[in-house]
Structures are given as C-alpha cells and as structure tokens.
Amino acid sequence: MKLIFEKGTPGQHLTLLPECDVPEAALREERVLPLRLPHVGENELTRHYKQLSDRVHGMNDGFYPLGSCTMKYNPKIDEELAALPGFTQIHPLQPVSSAQGCLQVLYTAERELCAVTGMDAMTLQPAAGAHGEFTGLLLIKAYHLRRKDPGRTKILVPDSAHGTNPASARMAGFDVVNIPSSPDGCVDLEALRAAAGPDTAGLMLTNPNTVGIFDKNILKITEIIHKAGGLCYYDGANLNAIVGVVRPGDMGFDVCHLNLHKTFATPHGGGGPGSGPVGCKAALAEFLPAPQVEERAGRYRFVTPRHSIGRVRGFSGNFTVVVRALAYLMTLGRERLPEAAENAVLNANYMKARLSECCEMAYPGFCMHEFVMTLETLHRETGVSALDIAKGLLDHGVHPPTMYFPLIVREALMIEPCETESKETMDSVCGLFVRLFADARTDPQSLHDAPLHTRAPRPPAPPPPRHTVLRYSFD
C-alpha cells in the first residue's frame, strides 16, 4: 500500500478555503518551514484512510488479548461525554474564571484517583505510562536531594519488569540494579535485601507483576526498601486487576502512575491518546509538577507546589482522556469498580484452566489478570514457535497475545482477556488454541506459512536494526 505522499499529482487539492477576512501577517522567510503536503483530492484522501482503517484490528473486530496491555471494550457513554462541546471547545489559554467546569473535572478526577490508589496528591500532566514513570522518578530524586542525600543513585528493578522501567530510571539519572525473580515468579527477597542499602533511591515494581502474579511478599518488599531509606514506586500498568479491591498506597508504595488508557475507559493503542497521572504520598506532594488545581470556597484556580519539579508537559495533560476516566469512575462507583477487577481475574483464570489441558504454563496455580504459557516443549518437538501460533491466530480473526515477553520465559505467549469478554468468546478462542496446537503436531508447515488469509502475507524476518529505515525520504 502506498503512502499518502506517493499518491496524487501536482495541482490536486481539497476544497478551497474561503478568502482570509483578516489582514495577513507575513513571516520572515527564514522562519517559514516548507510544507510537504500530499497533492490529492478529497475522494482519494478519504479512500486512503478508509483502506488504512481496514488494515487495523481493534476491539470491534475481535478478541484482543495482549498481555499487560488491557485492550478492552470501553463504554461508549464515556466517549460521548468527552465529546461534549464544553470540553472539546475549551482553550488552554483562556482565563481560569471562564473554565471553572473544566477545572472542576481536573480537581475531581485527581481526588477520585487518589481514593482509588491510596495516594494523597495527584498530577494529571504526564502524557502516558512511561512519561508517568519518568515524572515519578523525578519526584523521588527531588525528595532525596531536598533531604541532602545525593548518594542515593540506584533504582532497583525486578527482572520481570516492563522495559520502560529501567529506561525511565536511566533517563532520570539513576543507575539500575536488576533484581532476579524466585522460581514462583515473585521477587527474590534475599536478592532484594542484598541490593538495598544507603545508595538505594527506590524500587520500581508492578503488582500484580508481569507474569500475572500478585506478590505474596509485597509488604515485606516495601518494608525492605523503606528500612534502607528508599522509596517505593508502583507501576500502574496492571492496576486493572486490583482496582477498587486493593490500593498501592496500602501496599506501602510512595508514588505511582496510572494508565488511564488501560484501566479507565480510554481506547488503547494506535499511538494515543494516552494519559499517565502520577500520585504520591504527602511527603512528595510539594515536588509535583506545576500547576495543580486548588479549590477554595467553590472556586478553582491553579497553584504551584512549593518545590515543584516544574512542568513535564504543556497545560494539564490530555484533558478529554481525563474526562473519560472520571465518567467511568462515577458510573461504576465504589460498589461496582471492584467487580471489573474481579471479572478480569475470573476470566484469566478460566482461560488458564482450560488451556492448561493442552499447553504448559510458565507458572502454575491461580493468576491475576493475565497468564503466561511457554511453548518451549512444543517448539522443541514440532519446530512450531510461539510466533507461528500467533500468526495462525491471525487467520481466524484473533489478535495474537504478547509474544516472547517477559524475557524470563522461553517461547512465551502472555494472554490477558480482560473483564469485558464473554464466556462464549473465551470458549471459542480456547478451542482455536487447541486446534492450532494440534496442527503444530500434524501439519507444522501450515503454521510456518501463516497467515494465509489476511490482507498482508507473512513478512520476511526483519533486517538488523542498523539497516532499519526510520523516516520517509521526499527526495
């Protein structure tokens, strides 16, 4: 499929704009950037983006079980509320006095998210999860520097962590110490005790973790870090499994980020929009990014925390994403929010139990929101890899689960069904996995060739990264 820049001919264009009814202001020539716009008509442009949308697999197309990503159906009522003119036609630079309703949304969302997480203060600025990680780590850094303790330069990160954790820590100027997992998939306590010390700034941890296990030693883990003088950071990527049931603040975490686009009703994927609010305990609140929304006598205004780390993003984050999240929270309420988490856990355990009959699980027993299968034995005996099974799923309209992650599991497939899938859908998908595993033993070549019925065939193995083309050349 051609890029939009490769279509059309010079001179083609869309509907003409009306004549400018205000005086033109010319910019200096050196300030003008050349606009490389495609020369296409409206008909061709519409067809191009329709063809692109036809190539995308979304929640409305079929099962989408990406592990640790929470690709779930989101209520359309939240979309409708976020699209109200009072929210979409606001301008970030208009006077605060004329935007009181939007400031109330921000303030209320912060309070609700603090209640959900057990935190005392919240910033809505970060644009996504990794941005939230970076922001939270800057809070930790500011905290230690304010206490005149610059020797705390290390962040401890479990080996099952998301790849963004060590990357964010390095970006914030910390050294990363890898903490191994024990055979049960949880943090190795002895390794953690050995690593924690006077140079420990903090620990980054996801709980439930990336293999879908709620760490039974979580209170011991946070206690070890606190005794060493460090702070505990909660990666909220898997909050969907526990939201409304248990709070990171009650586990001993001092700061956390949330993924509103995973847990709180914003469609996930396609590059955005995301939102990664960061919550913290009272001891860290004075370092939060500015501005914060404050309420006094029924009026709202922006204020700057005393030792703020400064802005981490323009204005107040992705505002309509926050609107969706608040609508979701207020619709479910305290009574029904736990039901979402409980159903996510129920669905994952149902699929895990069914698939355990035909595939080896990396970690037996009950899981939380997701589970990891290992196809190492199948690969050794048949030559069919986790990648082959994933490609086979495409032929049946099912998006593949996460492949080859976490790195501590060989030939891994990680499945997260989420709370919004029906038993009928899960039964159908489990039956499909059984069929593909049988095909691996009777007709492995069919899976090596898959997919055969999708719009695009199976691509060749990617070239080495040093040969990857990262941008389009207009020459």
Side-chain angles (χ1 to χ4, degrees):
M1 182 176 175
K2 288 184 177 181
L3 300 176
I4 189 64
F5 296 100
E6 299 172 307
K7 295 183 176 182
T9 56
Q12 284 186 312
H13 52 75
L14 303 185
T15 304
L16 292 175
L17 296 172
E19 281 191 39
C20 184
D21 59 356
V22 296
E24 294 185 11
L27 295 174
R28 296 197 305 271
E29 187 173 341
E30 65 271 16
R31 298 288 299 274
V32 179
L33 296 175
L35 289 178
R36 295 189 174 105
L37 300 176
H39 294 270
V40 295
E42 187 169 341
N43 200 22
E44 192 167 14
L45 182 70
T46 302
R47 288 173 178 171
H48 174 77
Y49 284 104
K50 175 61 168 64
Q51 290 169 8
L52 280 178
S53 68
D54 289 342
R55 296 164 70 97
V56 174
H57 183 98
M59 284 304 305
N60 293 333
D61 299 299
F63 193 56
Y64 209 135
L66 278 184
S68 279
C69 285
T70 319
M71 311 292 276
K72 65 182 182 180
Y73 173 82
N74 291 297
K76 295 300 179 278
I77 183 64
D78 303 331
E79 294 291 320
E80 293 180 15
L81 292 173
L84 290 173
F87 295 140
T88 59
Q89 296 179 17
I90 199 80
H91 194 285
L93 293 178
Q94 72 186 65
V96 167
S97 60
S98 66
Q100 287 293 296
C102 291
L103 265 65
Q104 184 178 2
V105 166
L106 295 173
Y107 181 82
T108 306
E110 288 178 4
R111 304 279 71 75
E112 294 294 325
L113 293 174
C114 282
V116 166
T117 57
M119 296 293 156
D120 298 314
M122 184 81 54
T123 176
L124 302 173
Q125 276 190 34
H131 194 198
E133 292 174 18
F134 180 65
T135 302
L137 288 164
L138 291 183
L139 297 182
I140 290 174
K141 190 170 191 175
Y143 172 84
H144 290 307
L145 291 178
R146 183 68 185 170
R147 291 165 57 88
K148 297 181 171 47
D149 198 359
R152 296 191 177 273
T153 58
K154 295 181 179 178
I155 295 291
L156 312 186
V157 181
D159 59 6
S160 64
H162 297 107
T164 52
N165 285 183
S168 297
R170 288 294 297 161
M171 280 187 64
F174 291 108
D175 297 323
V176 178
V177 179
N178 185 62
I179 305 297
S181 298
S182 55
D184 62 1
C186 299
V187 172
D188 186 319
L189 289 183
E190 293 308 312
L192 183 65
R193 288 191 180 97
D199 58 357
T200 299
L203 166 78
M204 299 187 77
L205 188 70
T206 308
N207 193 42
N209 63 19
T210 306
V211 297
I213 297 173
F214 190 97
D215 201 308
K216 61 183 181 295
N217 297 314
I218 188 61
L219 296 180
K220 293 180 181 177
I221 290 170
T222 54
E223 181 184 20
I224 290 170
I225 300 302
H226 286 152
K227 282 187 175 180
L231 298 176
C232 297
Y233 179 95
Y234 181 86
D235 182 326
N238 296 340
L239 187 72
N240 195 65
I242 61 170
V243 62
V245 179
V246 64
R247 308 188 304 175
D250 299 333
M251 299 181 213
F253 288 95
D254 305 288
V255 58
C256 72
H257 87 262
L258 311 175
N259 295 83
L260 299 190
H261 52 284
K262 287 186 179 184
T263 310
F264 299 106
T266 285
H268 184 181
S275 184
V278 171
C280 64
K281 292 292 191 177
L284 294 168
E286 62 180 330
F287 305 109
L288 282 171
Q292 294 289 102
V293 180
E294 180 182 78
E295 184 270 333
R296 282 191 179 180
R299 301 292 292 176
Y300 299 89
R301 63 173 187 165
F302 287 123
V303 295
T304 299
R306 183 169 47 167
H307 299 297
S308 173
I309 60 173
R311 283 189 180 273
V312 295
R313 190 185 185 281
F315 307 112
S316 300
N318 288 330
F319 176 65
T320 58
V321 178
V322 177
V323 176
R324 291 182 181 94
L326 182 59
Y328 182 79
L329 283 165
M330 296 183 75
T331 301
L332 292 182
R334 183 170 298 180
E335 297 77 17
R336 299 195 64 187
L337 193 60
E339 185 179 344
E342 290 163 355
N343 284 342
V345 173
L346 177 63
N347 283 355
N349 279 283
Y350 177 74
M351 287 195 70
K352 183 177 184 179
R354 285 208 56 184
L355 292 175
S356 293
E357 299 172 2
C358 60
C359 184
E360 181 183 358
M361 297 295 153
Y363 299 96
F366 287 106
C367 64
M368 293 296 289
H369 60 301
E370 64 191 0
F371 59 95
V372 182
M373 301 188 293
T374 171
L375 276 59
E376 184 177 13
T377 300
L378 184 75
H379 187 213
R380 184 175 61 250
E381 294 177 351
T382 68
V384 172
S385 65
L387 175 64
D388 293 328
I389 294 294
K391 296 295 186 183
L393 291 169
L394 292 173
D395 270 332
H396 299 274
V398 173
H399 195 285
T402 300
M403 301 179 296
Y404 301 119
F405 186 81
L407 301 178
I408 57 177
V409 178
R410 292 182 178 274
E411 291 296 327
L413 288 180
M414 181 195 296
I415 297 177
E416 181 182 7
C418 297
E419 71 275 12
T420 53
E421 295 296 344
S422 67
K423 181 177 180 297
E424 291 76 16
T425 296
M426 292 187 291
D427 284 338
S428 174
V429 173
C430 286
L432 175 57
F433 270 106
V434 171
R435 172 181 167 183
L436 293 177
F437 292 148
D439 289 346
R441 299 190 180 278
T442 60
D443 186 13
Q445 191 58 45
S446 66
L447 291 170
H448 295 323
D449 296 335
L452 300 175
H453 308 297
T454 54
R455 288 180 176 270
R458 185 167 183 159
R466 61 181 176 275
H467 297 309
T468 300
V469 178
L470 299 177
R471 66 178 181 176
Y472 177 74
S473 175
F474 288 90
D475 298 329

